[in-house]
Amino acid sequence: MISDARRLWLLQLRLECKALDSDGRLVRIEGPRPDEIATCSIARFHDGYRVTFAATADDDLVERVAALPEEMFFEDSMRAASAIRKDRAMNITKCSTYVFPQVLRPVDPAIVRKGHEEFAITVDDREVSWASSSRSNSEAAELWVWTDESARRSGYGQQVSKAWASEVTGERRVAFYSHLDDNQPSRRLASKLEVVHLFDLANFTFEG
């Protein structure tokens, strides 16, 4: 599946209502929940990098980005931003994306189906963990999961996430999971879910 990482990156872009135009620039496409288009986005795969720009990015920015080593955007993001922003305010977002393999639905009476691609776990008649799709289309869906603070570290997030993934993969669609770079609980959940790491993203977006 790692060998398909670049194809799945393009699929996730479509899920976020983005695509590459004929010049390789990021543009908006139709969809129900469009995500922000970064001015500059660097994808780090296991076999290399892919740098993309918004259609509005100028050639001067492209040249400044090309002058820097790709790894700097991940390991020293603030320094990279200082080198490319030219005194303009810039937001930095880093995240990691994974994919679920085919998942069998866990047999657990505590897992309650709330709706399409929506599950919860109840403990003592109280819902303590939820999983649903943050985005969904005919090709793929992306997991959103939350566990009540009082019920964390009990495996509930893992169970409800697998129930969600079972439904998505059972429909022969791709089930994604992503988290921000500094979200350690979500990073730990990823390791427990046995999802396959696809790529990391470093997004740099001019404000205004």
Side-chain angles (χ1 to χ4, degrees), residues 19-204:
L20 301 180
D21 66 11
S22 58
D23 296 320
R25 295 294 188 99
L26 286 166
V27 295
R28 173 77 61 232
I29 60 174
E30 290 185 6
R33 301 192 67 181
D35 200 13
E36 180 181 52
I37 293 180
T39 309
C40 174
S41 180
I42 300 91
R44 178 173 62 186
F45 301 96
H46 290 272
D47 63 351
Y49 298 86
R50 175 67 187 268
V51 181
T52 53
F53 297 90
T56 55
D58 58 38
D59 292 340
D60 185 44
L61 173 65
V62 174
E63 291 177 2
R64 293 198 300 274
V65 170
L68 301 176
E70 291 95 340
E71 191 63 18
M72 180 187 289
F73 292 94
F74 295 89
E75 303 304 326
D76 198 349
S77 303
M78 294 300 295
R79 182 182 172 194
S82 295
I84 67 175
R85 64 187 175 87
K86 276 196 168 181
D87 298 324
R88 291 183 62 184
M90 175 170 274
N91 292 322
I92 304 170
T93 304
K94 294 189 291 184
C95 60
S96 297
T97 294
Y98 311 78
V99 67
F100 284 85
Q102 185 74 28
V103 178
L104 297 177
R105 183 173 179 179
V107 180
D108 188 334
I111 298 175
V112 178
R113 182 187 178 92
K114 304 288 290 182
H116 184 58
E117 300 172 22
E118 186 177 0
F119 296 86
I121 285 186
T122 60
V123 176
D124 296 328
D125 296 322
R126 183 173 68 93
E127 292 183 357
V128 297
S129 189
W130 306 264
S132 62
S133 296
S134 59
R135 300 180 181 88
S136 183
N137 64 18
S138 61
E139 297 179 291
E142 186 149 17
L143 172 66
W144 174 88
V145 58
W146 176 261
T147 300
D148 188 272
E149 189 171 354
S150 65
R152 292 179 183 175
R153 296 184 180 272
S154 299
Y156 298 134
Q158 182 178 352
Q159 294 176 59
V160 77
S161 295
K162 287 186 175 181
W164 172 89
S166 175
E167 177 160 310
V168 175
T169 59
E171 295 174 348
R172 299 186 180 279
R173 294 187 297 144
V174 176
F176 288 112
Y177 177 56
S178 300
H179 63 74
L180 293 174
D181 185 63
D182 59 357
N183 190 329
Q184 294 306 316
S186 292
R187 188 179 296 278
R188 287 193 295 269
L189 177 61
S191 65
K192 294 176 183 177
L193 289 173
E194 299 179 346
V195 287
V196 179
H197 177 258
L198 294 175
F199 52 84
D200 304 311
L201 287 178
N203 291 327
F204 295 76

